[in-house]
PDB file of all heavy atoms in Angstrom:
ATOM      1  N   VAL A   8     -55.645 -46.384  24.260  1.00 98.00           N
ATOM      2  CA  VAL A   8     -56.956 -47.060  23.996  1.00 98.00           C
ATOM      3  C   VAL A   8     -57.646 -47.407  25.352  1.00 98.00           C
ATOM      4  O   VAL A   8     -58.792 -47.240  25.570  1.00 98.00           O
ATOM      5  CB  VAL A   8     -56.880 -48.249  23.093  1.00 98.00           C
ATOM      6  CG1 VAL A   8     -58.176 -48.982  22.835  1.00 98.00           C
ATOM      7  CG2 VAL A   8     -56.173 -47.913  21.787  1.00 98.00           C
ATOM      8  N   SER A   9     -56.832 -48.062  26.174  1.00 98.00           N
ATOM      9  CA  SER A   9     -57.399 -48.370  27.536  1.00 98.00           C
ATOM     10  C   SER A   9     -56.178 -48.515  28.472  1.00 98.00           C
ATOM     11  O   SER A   9     -55.104 -48.767  28.166  1.00 98.00           O
ATOM     12  CB  SER A   9     -58.209 -49.601  27.535  1.00 98.00           C
ATOM     13  OG  SER A   9     -57.371 -50.770  27.289  1.00 98.00           O
ATOM     14  N   GLU A  10     -56.511 -48.341  29.775  1.00 98.00           N
ATOM     15  CA  GLU A  10     -55.463 -48.405  30.842  1.00 98.00           C
ATOM     16  C   GLU A  10     -55.991 -49.150  32.080  1.00 98.00           C
ATOM     17  O   GLU A  10     -57.181 -49.035  32.451  1.00 98.00           O
ATOM     18  CB  GLU A  10     -55.085 -46.940  31.264  1.00 98.00           C
ATOM     19  CG  GLU A  10     -53.768 -46.875  31.967  1.00 98.00           C
ATOM     20  CD  GLU A  10     -53.272 -45.451  32.049  1.00 98.00           C
ATOM     21  OE1 GLU A  10     -53.967 -44.636  32.742  1.00 98.00           O
ATOM     22  OE2 GLU A  10     -52.238 -45.126  31.448  1.00 98.00           O
ATOM     23  N   HIS A  11     -55.146 -49.934  32.634  1.00 98.00           N
ATOM     24  CA  HIS A  11     -55.592 -50.832  33.816  1.00 98.00           C
ATOM     25  C   HIS A  11     -54.470 -50.828  34.850  1.00 98.00           C
ATOM     26  O   HIS A  11     -53.342 -51.153  34.517  1.00 98.00           O
ATOM     27  CB  HIS A  11     -55.812 -52.256  33.382  1.00 98.00           C
ATOM     28  CG  HIS A  11     -56.608 -52.324  32.076  1.00 98.00           C
ATOM     29  ND1 HIS A  11     -57.961 -52.361  31.988  1.00 98.00           N
ATOM     30  CD2 HIS A  11     -56.113 -52.314  30.743  1.00 98.00           C
ATOM     31  CE1 HIS A  11     -58.290 -52.392  30.754  1.00 98.00           C
ATOM     32  NE2 HIS A  11     -57.257 -52.381  29.949  1.00 98.00           N
ATOM     33  N   LEU A  12     -54.791 -50.506  36.136  1.00 98.00           N
ATOM     34  CA  LEU A  12     -53.775 -50.687  37.193  1.00 98.00           C
ATOM     35  C   LEU A  12     -53.519 -52.156  37.380  1.00 98.00           C
ATOM     36  O   LEU A  12     -54.427 -52.999  37.275  1.00 98.00           O
ATOM     37  CB  LEU A  12     -54.235 -50.011  38.438  1.00 98.00           C
ATOM     38  CG  LEU A  12     -54.430 -48.557  38.485  1.00 98.00           C
ATOM     39  CD1 LEU A  12     -54.595 -48.050  39.874  1.00 98.00           C
ATOM     40  CD2 LEU A  12     -53.231 -47.811  37.817  1.00 98.00           C
ATOM     41  N   CYS A  13     -52.204 -52.554  37.717  1.00 98.00           N
ATOM     42  CA  CYS A  13     -51.882 -53.938  37.856  1.00 98.00           C
ATOM     43  C   CYS A  13     -50.617 -53.995  38.707  1.00 98.00           C
ATOM     44  O   CYS A  13     -49.602 -53.406  38.296  1.00 98.00           O
ATOM     45  CB  CYS A  13     -51.672 -54.483  36.477  1.00 98.00           C
ATOM     46  SG  CYS A  13     -51.494 -56.257  36.362  1.00 98.00           S
ATOM     47  N   PHE A  14     -50.679 -54.693  39.846  1.00 98.00           N
ATOM     48  CA  PHE A  14     -49.572 -54.881  40.688  1.00 98.00           C
ATOM     49  C   PHE A  14     -48.804 -53.492  41.059  1.00 98.00           C
ATOM     50  O   PHE A  14     -47.588 -53.466  40.969  1.00 98.00           O
ATOM     51  CB  PHE A  14     -48.556 -55.895  40.151  1.00 98.00           C
ATOM     52  CG  PHE A  14     -49.126 -57.276  40.214  1.00 98.00           C
ATOM     53  CD1 PHE A  14     -49.767 -57.884  39.076  1.00 98.00           C
ATOM     54  CD2 PHE A  14     -49.065 -58.061  41.393  1.00 98.00           C
ATOM     55  CE1 PHE A  14     -50.162 -59.085  39.091  1.00 98.00           C
ATOM     56  CE2 PHE A  14     -49.599 -59.326  41.402  1.00 98.00           C
ATOM     57  CZ  PHE A  14     -50.160 -59.876  40.261  1.00 98.00           C
ATOM     58  N   GLY A  15     -49.628 -52.525  41.254  1.00 98.00           N
ATOM     59  CA  GLY A  15     -49.053 -51.215  41.629  1.00 98.00           C
ATOM     60  C   GLY A  15     -48.567 -50.390  40.428  1.00 98.00           C
ATOM     61  O   GLY A  15     -48.236 -49.199  40.560  1.00 98.00           O
ATOM     62  N   GLY A  16     -48.476 -51.059  39.225  1.00 98.00           N
ATOM     63  CA  GLY A  16     -48.140 -50.296  38.036  1.00 98.00           C
ATOM     64  C   GLY A  16     -49.316 -50.218  37.153  1.00 98.00           C
ATOM     65  O   GLY A  16     -50.504 -50.366  37.633  1.00 98.00           O
ATOM     66  N   LYS A  17     -49.094 -49.975  35.799  1.00 98.00           N
ATOM     67  CA  LYS A  17     -50.270 -49.880  34.991  1.00 98.00           C
ATOM     68  C   LYS A  17     -49.953 -50.475  33.562  1.00 98.00           C
ATOM     69  O   LYS A  17     -48.872 -50.349  33.043  1.00 98.00           O
ATOM     70  CB  LYS A  17     -50.789 -48.453  34.812  1.00 98.00           C
ATOM     71  CG  LYS A  17     -49.777 -47.467  34.294  1.00 98.00           C
ATOM     72  CD  LYS A  17     -50.317 -46.038  34.286  1.00 98.00           C
ATOM     73  CE  LYS A  17     -49.265 -45.060  33.779  1.00 98.00           C
ATOM     74  NZ  LYS A  17     -49.713 -43.716  33.903  1.00 98.00           N
ATOM     75  N   ILE A  18     -51.027 -51.106  33.027  1.00 98.00           N
ATOM     76  CA  ILE A  18     -51.037 -51.593  31.618  1.00 98.00           C
ATOM     77  C   ILE A  18     -51.709 -50.610  30.740  1.00 98.00           C
ATOM     78  O   ILE A  18     -52.814 -50.186  31.035  1.00 98.00           O
ATOM     79  CB  ILE A  18     -51.717 -52.946  31.520  1.00 98.00           C
ATOM     80  CG1 ILE A  18     -51.033 -54.008  32.413  1.00 98.00           C
ATOM     81  CG2 ILE A  18     -51.801 -53.430  30.081  1.00 98.00           C
ATOM     82  CD1 ILE A  18     -51.877 -55.258  32.474  1.00 98.00           C
ATOM     83  N   GLY A  19     -51.133 -50.250  29.641  1.00 98.00           N
ATOM     84  CA  GLY A  19     -51.749 -49.419  28.649  1.00 98.00           C
ATOM     85  C   GLY A  19     -51.802 -50.053  27.265  1.00 98.00           C
ATOM     86  O   GLY A  19     -50.850 -50.723  26.864  1.00 98.00           O
ATOM     87  N   PHE A  20     -52.940 -50.002  26.600  1.00 98.00           N
ATOM     88  CA  PHE A  20     -53.008 -50.458  25.174  1.00 98.00           C
ATOM     89  C   PHE A  20     -53.026 -49.223  24.364  1.00 98.00           C
ATOM     90  O   PHE A  20     -53.784 -48.253  24.558  1.00 98.00           O
ATOM     91  CB  PHE A  20     -54.272 -51.294  25.071  1.00 98.00           C
ATOM     92  CG  PHE A  20     -54.183 -52.625  25.664  1.00 98.00           C
ATOM     93  CD1 PHE A  20     -54.603 -52.783  27.028  1.00 98.00           C
ATOM     94  CD2 PHE A  20     -53.634 -53.700  25.003  1.00 98.00           C
ATOM     95  CE1 PHE A  20     -54.528 -53.993  27.679  1.00 98.00           C
ATOM     96  CE2 PHE A  20     -53.500 -54.890  25.701  1.00 98.00           C
ATOM     97  CZ  PHE A  20     -53.957 -55.044  26.984  1.00 98.00           C
ATOM     98  N   TYR A  21     -52.158 -49.209  23.276  1.00 98.00           N
ATOM     99  CA  TYR A  21     -51.910 -48.042  22.454  1.00 98.00           C
ATOM    100  C   TYR A  21     -52.127 -48.384  20.964  1.00 98.00           C
ATOM    101  O   TYR A  21     -51.885 -49.473  20.540  1.00 98.00           O
ATOM    102  CB  TYR A  21     -50.538 -47.585  22.688  1.00 98.00           C
ATOM    103  CG  TYR A  21     -50.221 -47.135  24.083  1.00 98.00           C
ATOM    104  CD1 TYR A  21     -49.725 -47.944  25.022  1.00 98.00           C
ATOM    105  CD2 TYR A  21     -50.471 -45.756  24.471  1.00 98.00           C
ATOM    106  CE1 TYR A  21     -49.508 -47.666  26.407  1.00 98.00           C
ATOM    107  CE2 TYR A  21     -50.218 -45.373  25.832  1.00 98.00           C
ATOM    108  CZ  TYR A  21     -49.731 -46.361  26.674  1.00 98.00           C
ATOM    109  OH  TYR A  21     -49.473 -46.002  27.997  1.00 98.00           O
TER     110      TYR A  21
END
Side-chain angles (χ1 to χ4, degrees):
V8 179
S9 68
E10 196 168 67
H11 316 270
L12 293 192
C13 189
F14 291 98
K17 59 184 177 185
I18 299 171
F20 289 91
Y21 298 90

